[in-house]
Amino acid sequence: MEELINKLKAEIIEVLNLEDISPGDIDAESPLFGEGGLGLDSIDALELIVLLEKNYEIKIENPQDGKTIFFSIKSMAEYITEHQAA
Amino acid sequence: MMDVYIKGLGNISPQNTADNSQFLDKIVEYDQNNLQVIHPVYKDHISPIKLRRMSRMIKMGIAASSICLDDAGITNPGAIITGTGFGCTGDTEKFLYAMVENDEQYLTPTAFMQSTHNTISGQIAIMLGCKSYNSTYVNRGSCFEAAFQDAMMLINEGEANDALIGGFDECTDKHYIITSRLGYWKDRDIKNTDLYTAGSSGSISGEGASFFAISKDGGSNSYAKIKAVNHFYKPDGFEEVERRIQSFLEANGHNPDSVDLVVNGLNGDEEGDLVYHHLMKGALKSSTHTCYKHLCGEYDVASAFGLWLACKILKTQTVPESVRVGNAPAGQINTVLVYNHFKSSYHGLFLLESC
């Protein structure tokens, strides 16, 4: 899980062009959207959906699940692990 | 048409032009035919959160517009109008490559949004919260003139009191290779300062983002009064160019002898430059002549750099040695004509007066 979390951090930094942020600056349990975390927005959410599809072959069928899956890096990693095991 | 005044400038180019307090104090020299912009510190003009999603071209455009509006003291312009030959070329390439590489799957929204020609005028409007008229002209070598003309008509018709106008284009590596194959550029690398003496076909490639804030109200801080803008396509020889320039001047209360200074679009291409030499020896022989494409290179909206040069000359009453063709002007510079053509097809004219 730790390895996947670090990989996700690096991928998110690259895809979202977070120039001044390094993987060590991101708390895996902090919220990705809104105050108190990375402060991502709806366009970033679309980029993350594409990232899951392209890099992990996971398609989110129910848009309502997005809020839970993309809450934090850790929740994303858990979702990926769960789906890859299935 | 009523006079309008140029109140602010923002110019990001291959020279140090982003700082409005300077005026070509030291020329940047290049040893290759692909002149690229000198980037300002973007964080001084754009918030880091917005900056991270912006591509190179968008950063250039947004920063130039921000410098321009600050210079003019305008916070919410009555119109935002831009001109671009190719738009955000880098983003378009990125998006198209992603389509091919991923078999039209996994297309990301950012590259798509940023690959349209009107991305920059839209982004400026979003950043300013400006809901006024917003348009982008894409008619290649005269798109900047068309954008300027549109803004002047809006002000003339009372639709806006002021407007932000910009011309921008970028030259990516791929764009440079493609246009090289089309014979746009010189075969061998030259120094940009040798552009007019290299004596061969083709020019040197350039890029930039130049913005202008215009207003119906003058004032002591105005750069120039803009009398008129005109553009025409594929004239039938030098005589027609000369005739059109004379008509343009006469329609605006001038004649070739009353033009103190001409900003010429000479670009070092032997054939393309013939028309400028024809005018310099003919109808416009009594004016002081200047040129600028050794500073910014050739691109679809290079005339915007020429207009910037004209504004700075009128405001400072200084003609830097680096842009002179021949001698410095003898007296006061009151009237300036900017004449440019792109690939001998798109011809543009600006007529300016001092304030």
Side-chain angles (χ1 to χ4, degrees):
Chain A
M1 179 69 81
E2 199 60 34
E3 195 181 323
L4 178 58
I5 284 174
N6 287 333
K7 188 171 172 244
L8 269 174
K9 284 180 182 178
E11 286 171 342
I12 287 172
I13 286 169
E14 193 198 332
V15 167
L16 304 184
N17 201 20
L18 303 171
E19 283 175 348
D20 296 332
I21 295 176
S22 65
D25 298 331
I26 305 173
D27 179 356
E29 295 187 39
S30 290
L32 290 170
F33 295 86
E35 298 292 317
L38 283 180
L40 304 185
D41 60 22
S42 56
I43 295 169
D44 296 317
L46 291 170
E47 296 281 2
L48 293 181
I49 290 168
V50 175
L51 185 149
L52 276 194
E53 273 190 57
K54 192 177 170 184
N55 296 7
Y56 299 94
E57 295 176 358
I58 296 171
K59 197 164 187 166
I60 297 170
E61 302 293 348
N62 183 3
Q64 300 299 323
D65 296 340
K67 264 191 172 179
T68 321
I69 299 164
F70 296 120
F71 177 76
S72 66
I73 301 266
K74 191 180 174 195
S75 62
M76 280 182 75
E78 284 168 352
Y79 186 76
I80 292 167
T81 310
E82 194 180 305
H83 273 73
Q84 284 182 334
Chain B
M1 192 173 277
M2 70 194 288
D3 296 334
V4 295
Y5 298 84
I6 297 180
K7 310 273 285 187
L9 305 176
N11 189 17
I12 294 175
S13 77
Q15 300 296 322
N16 289 305
T17 52
D19 179 357
N20 276 327
S21 67
Q22 292 183 29
F23 182 29
L24 301 176
D25 298 338
K26 194 165 180 262
I27 296 307
V28 180
E29 296 189 2
Y30 294 84
D31 292 318
Q32 30 81 20
N33 295 349
N34 185 7
L35 275 54
Q36 299 201 307
V37 301
I38 297 167
H39 296 284
V41 178
Y42 287 117
K43 282 176 187 166
D44 291 350
H45 308 285
I46 308 166
S47 78
I49 293 171
K50 287 173 180 153
L51 201 55
R52 73 171 165 90
R53 198 177 282 142
M54 291 180 185
S55 66
R56 180 176 178 274
M57 181 73 257
I58 294 173
K59 285 177 194 169
M60 283 158 58
I62 300 289
S65 69
S66 168
I67 293 166
C68 177
L69 289 172
D70 285 349
D71 193 30
I74 294 172
T75 50
N76 203 330
I80 299 169
I81 310 173
T82 55
T84 178
F86 286 95
C88 304
T89 315
D91 290 295
T92 306
E93 286 172 1
K94 193 173 167 184
F95 186 64
L96 291 175
Y97 270 92
M99 278 178 83
V100 174
E101 280 172 11
N102 299 319
D103 197 23
E104 298 188 22
Q105 302 295 307
Y106 317 123
L107 297 176
T108 61
T110 307
F112 171 66
M113 289 186 310
Q114 297 187 349
S115 65
T116 60
H117 284 65
N118 64 339
T119 296
I120 289 181
S121 57
Q123 288 270 349
I124 296 167
I126 290 168
M127 284 181 72
L128 296 176
C130 175
K131 293 176 181 158
S132 306
Y133 180 89
N134 195 300
S135 191
T136 299
Y137 286 83
V138 296
N139 43 316
R140 294 292 311 273
S142 52
C143 60
F144 177 66
E145 284 79 357
F148 219 101
Q149 211 168 31
D150 190 6
M152 286 181 72
M153 285 195 289
L154 278 176
I155 291 174
N156 196 51
E157 288 165 11
E159 296 283 322
N161 291 325
D162 48 35
L164 175 69
I165 309 154
F168 61 86
D169 262 306
E170 70 175 324
C171 185
T172 62
D173 291 345
K174 289 182 183 68
H175 183 78
Y176 181 74
I177 291 166
I178 292 165
T179 44
S180 293
R181 287 180 188 159
L182 293 171
Y184 276 35
W185 320 124
K186 293 193 181 296
D187 287 340
R188 289 184 188 171
D189 281 342
I190 59 160
K191 278 186 80 169
N192 60 325
T193 45
D194 295 334
L195 181 63
Y196 311 110
T197 52
S200 55
S201 67
S203 185
I204 54 175
S205 166
E207 59 176 10
S210 309
F211 277 75
F212 301 82
I214 65 168
S215 169
K216 70 182 176 106
D217 302 315
S220 57
N221 62 339
S222 297
Y223 284 86
K225 185 198 296 180
I226 182 135
K227 295 287 290 178
V229 183
N230 199 349
H231 56 99
F232 48 97
Y233 184 65
K234 287 191 176 172
D236 187 17
F238 298 168
E239 284 69 28
E240 189 186 338
V241 174
E242 198 167 84
R243 204 166 51 246
R244 280 182 178 270
I245 289 175
Q246 295 219 7
S247 306
F248 174 70
L249 293 173
E250 281 161 18
N252 293 287
H254 280 278
N255 61 64
D257 290 336
S258 68
V259 174
D260 299 313
L261 185 137
V262 182
V263 176
N264 291 286
L266 287 156
N267 73 0
D269 175 50
E270 276 187 326
E271 199 181 327
D273 282 353
L274 289 175
V275 66
Y276 299 109
H277 294 300
H278 175 81
L279 293 165
M280 283 193 263
K281 286 175 191 157
L284 299 169
K285 65 175 180 293
S286 60
S287 309
T288 296
H289 288 273
T290 59
C291 56
Y292 57 91
K293 285 186 185 159
H294 58 300
L295 305 176
C296 66
E298 180 65 288
Y299 52 108
D300 289 70
V301 294
S303 60
F305 189 100
L307 183 63
W308 171 86
L309 177 64
C311 292
K312 293 290 271 189
I313 287 174
L314 277 168
K315 174 120 183 188
T316 62
Q317 287 293 313
T318 308
V319 184
E321 211 174 321
S322 59
V323 299
R324 289 180 201 161
V325 180
N327 296 330
Q332 179 87 6
I333 305 158
N334 293 317
T335 308
V336 174
L337 173 71
V338 180
Y339 167 56
N340 178 66
H341 74 78
F342 183 75
K343 301 299 288 175
S344 301
S345 297
Y346 304 88
H347 297 247
L349 296 165
F350 292 91
L351 184 63
L352 297 96
E353 289 179 356
S354 57
C355 294

